[in-house]
Amino acid sequence: MKRLDAYIFVLLGMLAGLSSCSTTKHLPEGETLYLGLKNITIQNEDETKAGQTALDEVMGAISIAPNNAIVTYPNVRFPVPFGLWMYNRFERYEKGFGRWIFKHLAADPVLLSEVNPDTRAKVAGNLLRDYGFFDGHVTWKIDSTKNERAVKLSYDIDMGRPYRIDTLLYEGFAPRTDSLIHARSSERLVHTDDYFNVNTLNAERQRVVDLLRNHGYYYARTDFLTFLADTLMRPGYVMLKMVPAANLPKEALKTYHIGKTAVYLTGYNGEPPVDSMKLRDFTVFYAGDKPGLRFDVLRKRFLYRKGELYSQTRQDYTQEALSRLGVFKFNEMQYLPRSGEDTLDVRVNAMFDLPYDSELELNVTTKSTKQTGPGAIFKLTKKNFRRMGASLNLELKGSYEWQTSSTVDGDKSVMNSYELGAALSLDFPRIVIPWVRNRIDPFRFPSETHFRIYAEQVNRARYFKMLSFGGSISYSFQKSRSMKHTVTPVHLAFNHLQRRTATFDSIALANPMLFHSLDDQFIPSISYTFTYDDSWRQHRWRIWWENSFTSAGNITSAIYAAFGRGFKEKEKKFLGTPFAQFLKFTSEIRPLFYINEKQQLAGRLMAGVIWAYGNKTIAPYNEQFYVGGANSIRAFTVRSLGPGRFHPADNAAYSYVDETGDIKLEANLEYRFRLFSNMFGGNLNGAVFLDAGNVWLMRKDEARPGAEFTFKHFFDNIAVGTGVGIRYDLSFLVLRLDWGIALHVPYETGRSGYYNIPRFKDGQGLHFAIGYPF
């Protein structure tokens, strides 16, 4: 206690010493500390959406954060200027520990000269005019403070009246160009009565240029078009004309056609092309004995043909298609005009990437059953397999688990619970249908074909040993940038219970439903998944939404019915194993709102249901739902909740089994914010989150009372947890640490009230993970 008192005394002394430090004592000579905004007045405020957009831009130009700011305006600052104290206390040190403290803990003061309010007021006034407020202006003044070397600023914004668009005419263009522009006039971005907006005019000019470049005008540029404006003819309105710029080069006035194409393939060690292969107008130059990529695979990536008009869109899609092959370090397209002709020959320079890629993941798993142990996943990828632009992937994984308690039902711990798995997949960056030749990928956006076979073995100490194996074929394609479709026409899985113990047999008697979910099964299924993702638009609101539907055993059952076996007949088998029949649907939506560059609000809502029937009325164990863990309800470990109000006692016969269900509901809300920028090469971010959810059974299970879904006491059946977390974001890698705190569990704990956690320490979960949870 005496030592603790001494530490506290020293700490208080340090704080007192720092608090006595001036925040301006060691400012550079003649400089003034900026303390933020005192007041902003707005005159003639325009409350329309366009007016508020303009005002937001103006506020962004003048709202500069002072040191230790929490909110820029109204000015809210953290009351302890620790960084400034460190700056003024240790600024004079040039080396040693004092210099280290200055470098890592001090905050550079925000100076009035750096804020430069006069320039910012001019920029803000120009922004008003860019948004059509031609009469608007911004002024500023200095507000003194108690410290003569520290000031605040006040701004006065007078928006004036907005100017609107009267008309936009397109004049001075050649007949063909004029016809093309007017034929697409319905797509114009500038309309009568819109607020004048320079950004919209620039977007309209870019639209016209894109239109021209997609119709052969290879040399079209935005600086070749200009606007003429008149504000006198109609007060408060702007009459506009888009016209070609003066003295345009003659090349900009003509259309061009595609000529020959030559592709130069450089080896991954820099080997230059030494030989060539030609088919009509398409030539491939390559190093070695044969091209590093099959001729037909390469040719089908080019979405144009000789004699077609040049198109910027086709050029972009072609480059994307070449990049999606995943075999090149880079590829670039050059257009070479023929002298005196309207023809562009195409030259593509590409260099092969390294042929192999490998990845090793190490992890430690801790379960609610007091099982813990290490795991590893090794992945090896052979790029450009057999020169087809495909990748051959081998994945090996394994993990061991041992009991963390000293004994298990009187037996000492043994290291004999393990999981082993291997998977081999072949991925094509295009649609591939076996035994169908001369196929052409019809989709301009990414499409993939995925062939996969796998085998996994699970050994649960003293209970059972299970072998699972199977394979699948799936196709993914996009008809637009935001919408992706994934179809899996073939997915075959076999679950075989190789060995079971007397202990496991006693569990089967106590809980038949659980036993049958682990029984030998053949699972033939087909599935369809639709994904919507508009994050590429870079809007403040972004939505990711995925819906998936799976049907298992129904085609197989229909085949049996065709041969006289009824749909309702039980225990139909394939290769001596009963096959599962179920329908499964999941839907997950993830909205993300960007408050600003340093703050985001992220959410997730997920629902799923699986209905087993016919040949098997209990869904396979690995198809059932669960909650908890680093990417779910973070106050609880994975698979430690539900189903429903049921919760096995720690000493129950089947408490070792993970808790799963047929229905799942889960909701998450997370506020993300920046703590420190550019910290050792990355950003340190914080998060506050709220998680809720549970799983339920579709049918009543006598061995698990309260596990089935009902609307009675629905909200009491939802587990709720909150918590905080930190994320170290290196842009290419995110390291995440979350501390979850339980608020409510759906089962009886002996404690009344909504907060029914018996002891605070019992309702905590600590998760270290890679990547964001959603």
Side-chain angles (χ1 to χ4, degrees), residues 360-474:
L360 177 63
E361 297 180 15
L362 301 175
N363 58 72
V364 176
T365 301
T366 301
K367 295 188 176 181
S368 58
T369 56
K370 298 181 180 179
Q371 293 277 340
T372 187
I377 301 176
F378 175 72
K379 299 177 182 178
L380 179 65
T381 299
K382 171 66 171 72
K383 301 177 184 178
N384 198 19
F385 178 69
R386 297 184 65 85
R387 301 187 300 118
M388 296 187 297
S391 62
L392 183 66
N393 311 287
L394 173 64
E395 179 179 304
L396 302 174
K397 63 180 180 180
S399 64
Y400 266 109
E401 298 176 0
W402 63 83
Q403 193 79 8
T404 56
S405 57
S406 59
T407 60
V408 183
D409 296 338
D411 295 338
K412 293 188 180 289
S413 306
V414 288
M415 196 172 177
N416 60 354
S417 289
Y418 61 83
E419 294 184 17
L420 299 174
L424 187 67
S425 63
L426 185 61
D427 298 336
F428 291 86
R430 58 190 181 278
I431 298 297
V432 175
I433 303 176
W435 307 292
V436 178
R437 299 182 61 83
N438 299 322
R439 49 200 177 270
I440 297 178
D441 195 341
F443 305 108
R444 292 177 172 177
F445 293 97
S447 57
E448 299 175 347
T449 302
H450 185 71
F451 299 92
R452 181 175 185 265
I453 56 174
Y454 72 93
E456 297 177 353
Q457 188 169 70
V458 177
N459 184 78
R460 287 287 177 257
R462 303 169 54 248
Y463 294 106
F464 67 87
K465 186 177 183 180
M466 175 180 284
L467 175 66
S468 300
F469 59 94
S472 64
I473 302 174
S474 62

Side-chain angles (χ1 to χ4, degrees), residues 532 534-543 592-595 600:
Y532 176 83
D534 69 350
S535 60
W536 62 274
R537 299 181 186 273
Q538 301 296 308
H539 289 171
R540 296 185 70 180
W541 269 110
R542 303 176 190 180
I543 297 292
L592 178 62
F593 178 65
Y594 276 75
I595 302 172
Q600 300 89 41

